[in-house]
Amino acid sequence: MGTKEQVHGALAQMTDAERKVAHTFLANYPSSGLSTVAEFAGLAGTSAPTVLRFVSRLGFSGYPEFQRALRAEIQAELLSPLEKGDSSAARSLDGSALGAYFSRATANIQATLEAIPESEFEAACALLSDPKASCYTLGGRFSDAIARYMAAHLRIVRPNVRRFQDQTSTWDDQLLDVKAGDVVVLFDIRRYQRDLVHLSELLCERKARIVLITDSWLSPISRYAKVVLPCAIDSGRTWDSGVVLMALVEAIVDRVTHRDWDSARGRIQALEHIHWNKPPAAD
């Protein structure tokens, strides 16, 4: 679990002063946590003891341990697929490669289940179930395929589901249709995309509510998000894993479907009627 993920998980138990430190840390990650205690406190507008209580709240024995953990996760965050491949190539290939990969995927699912509070999951599903809000999805280079999958399902069970189109040059045009209160699901995992971060800033200005699906280290988009759902993605090999992202999306779609089952069932029945009453395709 990364430090930003720990902060999000502990927010509900923090005092008002500690939350100021937490918000400063998330908004200025990682530089705030790598500064001195006094500098961190000054940036947050609190005292040095408050910063130390914040660090203790996260489970660290002191500020040096907190900073060591922060440096380690930054290093891991910056690893490229090539570097991870060089590291994993030296590991033993004895046994079942398929079994080893599935075992790691299972561990990632369990880690994610422990990292996401039920309240955050329910908050995300409630936003996506809001009939007054339009819903948008968008992901990064690889995760956008999962964003498409999510939109395709949500479009069946609720109205006004859209996707930001792939060309970033058209995003400004599409922003014109985003209203205050609309919900935007963004996927962003490590080696985070600057264009997605910039889009989240613009969405925040338009008072859209962002649901961020990210990794354990948390995308910079987290500072603009209403709900953050961190997933374990480390496969232990060359490529990060999207298994948990897909599993989480399916859990969300299932929950949204059954939060208002009468409405969802009506839409599914109407879709089935359209499908089965189409004229046969010409030969």
Side-chain angles (χ1 to χ4, degrees), residues 58-214:
L58 300 181
F60 295 104
S61 60
Y63 202 66
E65 184 186 6
F66 166 70
Q67 290 192 318
R68 283 195 296 271
L70 184 56
R71 292 190 184 97
E73 73 183 44
I74 294 168
Q75 184 62 36
E77 186 177 314
L78 295 175
L79 284 178
S80 70
L82 182 60
E83 290 170 313
K84 288 187 286 183
D86 288 341
S87 174
S88 62
R91 300 173 192 167
S92 172
L93 295 179
D94 295 340
S96 167
L98 179 63
Y101 199 92
F102 272 61
S103 177
R104 186 55 182 259
T106 301
N108 280 347
I109 290 174
Q110 184 58 42
T112 302
L113 184 61
E114 295 171 0
I116 298 178
E118 189 69 24
S119 59
E120 287 293 281
F121 174 76
E122 287 294 336
C125 294
L127 290 175
L128 289 166
S129 301
D130 184 354
K132 297 178 181 178
S134 294
C135 173
Y136 297 79
T137 70
L138 181 66
R141 180 176 182 181
F142 296 109
S143 59
D144 194 48
I146 302 176
R148 288 175 179 269
Y149 178 84
M150 184 181 203
H153 278 77
L154 289 175
R155 195 174 292 119
I156 295 173
V157 300
R158 55 149 296 162
N160 301 318
V161 176
R162 309 175 187 177
R163 282 196 64 263
F164 277 95
Q165 298 303 310
D166 298 335
Q167 295 296 321
T168 58
S169 59
T170 69
W171 288 357
D172 289 348
D173 305 343
Q174 297 171 69
L175 274 169
L176 295 174
D177 294 326
V178 178
K179 306 182 303 296
D182 283 350
V183 181
V184 184
V185 182
L186 295 178
F187 295 76
D188 193 30
I189 61 176
R190 62 181 171 183
R191 307 200 92 188
Y192 311 116
Q193 293 188 203
R194 293 190 184 94
D195 52 358
L196 287 177
V197 177
H198 178 60
L199 177 63
S200 69
E201 294 172 352
L202 298 176
L203 289 167
C204 190
E205 289 176 4
R206 297 188 70 84
K207 295 183 171 52
R209 297 174 291 177
I210 297 173
V211 174
L212 172 65
I213 297 179
T214 185

